[in-house]
Amino acid sequence: MSTRHRVVVFVAAVVGLVSAWHALAPSWQVPLPNAANLAEERLQDFRDALYFPIREFLAGGNPYDPAAMFAHWPVRQDFNLYQPYHLLMQLPFALPGYRAGAVAFTVFGALLLLALAVMAAHAVRRLLSVPVVVTTAVVAALLLASQVGKAQLYVGQVNPLIAVGAAGALLVRRDRPGWAALALALAWLKPQYGFPLAILLYARGSRRVALAGAAVAAAASLPVVVLLVIRGGGIGAFLDVVVANLAHATGTDYGAVDSPTAQRIDVAAVLFRFTGWVPSGIELTVLAGVLAASVLLVRRLDRAGSTPVADLLTCLAVVVCVVHQPGDVLITVPALAAVAALWWRNRSEPGWGAAGFAVLALAVPFAHLYIVDSTVVSVLGTRAAVTVDGVAVVAAWCLLVATAVRLTRAPTALPVAAGSDG
């Protein structure tokens, strides 16, 4: 490394460590959950989607049953339909006391953000002559200082694990399809990630990765499902719980497509907050439309050798086609870094302007810090504040679609070749 590189690494390390300390602090400062502090936002997802659902499962109940969770535990949200293997995989964080589990889980999340930064560095290294340690330090510092990164640790999200899985599947799907399948199985932890990602990977030629990843996730979940079915009195009773879970989720103010306060970034929710209109079947229509358009374009991009753009379009399609929140753009980080590097290298070439604006638009959720949110609320109101991230992400997808159309009309040779693993 040059002297300039060492200075950059030092500054990034200082910023990253300070940001990490502030991001980790809520895990040991948060009060122990009880019925009087259900509104507590610190570690709320760790509380509601990991610790107490696993405790309910260990106690012999069904954590997917909203009525049981609200009756037995101090939770504010129901336990959504995470893959059942989540209840086993995250078990080490629910076995100790609440605070010990929260600290361990938050530290693990910070390490996963670092792993995501390493992935981004290797993706950039393929395109620019920048030392991996430099890019890793810069991306890690930006992640820990950004709203998206801090929010994962503040509320105790599982998104860092899913992001590592999704990004890993994209990065190694050709060279190490077995590892890619395992990574995809991690992304299946939330089906709204796993399903569209598997569809897009299959369309891009990674058929064995897509099928094996889904199979691994299903096989890992099967023992838990069988146990819940036996406990609940049969398949019919278990399906009734699933229906009740879905019904509860669609009626919440943070999950419903027609909620003016939900921070959803998918096309259907953004359309509602702009127009106040929810056409019948809009969510299924968006899911099918976005995936169909993206499948067509990513296949063309791979054939043209524009793999980094195809990877970012894949990630963006996942988060705009179905229910997603701003923090879910974490899965785009390695591909975003690669496309930013690619844009920098080709910025003087025609057709790359849209890619540059897509990168800027996708940076909006990361830059949506508390002071920014307060300013937007004071000037434009709460509805605008919960809509701006979604507008930016949907705009990024549209701009990348425009880039893909331009690149596949006049392909630009890139150093990452396309290919199929099966």
Side-chain angles (χ1 to χ4, degrees):
M1 292 191 297
S2 66
T3 301
R4 184 175 62 181
H5 286 151
R6 291 188 178 92
V7 171
V8 170
V9 170
F10 176 77
V11 172
V14 171
V15 172
L17 289 172
V18 172
S19 299
W21 178 261
H22 284 287
L24 294 172
S27 64
W28 62 76
Q29 294 174 348
V30 65
L32 297 179
N34 59 62
N37 60 16
L38 297 183
E40 176 64 63
E41 293 183 354
R42 287 174 296 179
L43 278 299
Q44 66 175 13
D45 284 356
F46 171 76
R47 176 193 67 198
D48 298 346
L50 193 153
Y51 191 83
F52 288 120
I54 294 176
R55 288 293 179 123
E56 173 70 12
F57 176 68
L58 294 176
N62 186 343
Y64 295 106
D65 185 355
M69 288 302 300
F70 291 134
H72 300 159
W73 307 100
V75 295
R76 183 169 64 92
Q77 307 165 96
D78 70 317
F79 177 54
N80 291 328
L81 296 177
Y82 288 29
Q83 285 284 350
Y85 70 73
H86 168 75
L87 298 169
L88 297 179
M89 185 174 64
Q90 308 283 14
L91 192 62
F93 301 114
L95 289 177
Y98 182 84
R99 183 161 285 114
V103 171
F105 180 76
T106 308
V107 170
F108 180 61
L111 293 175
L112 288 171
L113 293 180
L114 179 60
L116 204 60
V118 172
M119 290 182 178
H122 281 284
V124 169
R125 188 69 178 85
R126 297 176 181 179
L127 302 165
L128 297 177
S129 298
V130 181
V132 168
V133 67
V134 175
T135 308
T136 298
V138 171
V139 174
L142 290 174
L143 276 177
L144 289 166
S146 73
Q147 181 61 22
V148 168
K150 290 195 302 182
Q152 308 305 309
L153 307 183
Y154 185 83
V155 301
Q157 278 275 7
V158 296
N159 285 335
L161 180 63
I162 296 172
V164 167
L170 287 169
L171 286 173
V172 303
R173 65 190 181 91
R174 297 193 189 99
D175 300 331
R176 296 179 175 84
W179 285 109
L182 291 175
L184 178 60
L186 290 178
W188 265 103
L189 196 154
K190 289 184 179 180
Q192 71 263 38
Y193 284 96
F195 173 72
L197 183 57
I199 294 293
L200 289 160
L201 285 173
Y202 189 93
R204 295 179 65 182
S206 297
R207 299 179 183 88
R208 286 181 294 178
V209 171
L211 296 175
V216 169
S221 294
L222 186 60
V224 179
V225 172
V226 170
L227 183 56
L228 292 176
V229 167
I230 293 173
R231 284 178 179 177
I235 294 178
F238 177 75
L239 292 178
D240 287 341
V241 168
V242 172
V243 171
N245 187 291
L246 289 171
H248 182 273
T250 57
T252 61
D253 59 357
Y254 55 83
V257 67
D258 58 352
S259 169
T261 59
Q263 291 187 331
R264 286 175 51 170
I265 58 172
D266 52 287
V267 172
V270 172
L271 176 66
F272 165 74
R273 289 201 297 275
F274 253 106
T275 66
W277 180 46
V278 184
S280 177
I282 181 63
E283 292 183 282
L284 286 177
T285 301
V286 167
L287 175 64
V290 169
L291 287 182
S294 300
V295 161
L296 178 65
L297 289 170
V298 294
R299 293 178 68 172
R300 290 180 178 178
L301 286 166
D302 279 336
R303 287 196 294 268
S306 305
T307 303
V309 180
D311 286 347
L312 184 56
L313 186 58
T314 296
C315 293
L316 282 173
V318 168
V319 297
V320 302
C321 74
V322 70
V323 184
H324 278 285
Q325 308 289 338
D328 297 352
V329 299
L330 200 64
I331 70 168
T332 68
V333 168
L336 176 62
V339 171
L342 200 56
W343 169 81
W344 178 257
R345 204 184 66 178
N346 295 285
R347 62 192 183 281
S348 60
E349 300 292 328
W352 284 95
F357 284 116
V359 169
L360 287 176
L362 196 50
V364 169
F366 292 90
H368 196 164
L369 299 165
Y370 176 77
I371 187 171
V372 175
D373 189 69
S374 300
T375 302
V376 173
V377 170
S378 63
V379 175
L380 299 175
T382 302
R383 186 158 179 165
V386 298
T387 305
V388 64
D389 288 344
V391 171
V393 174
V394 172
W397 179 75
C398 293
L399 287 164
L400 212 62
V401 165
T403 300
V405 171
R406 182 66 180 264
L407 290 177
T408 52
R409 282 179 180 171
T412 301
L414 298 178
V416 184
S420 169
D421 64 338

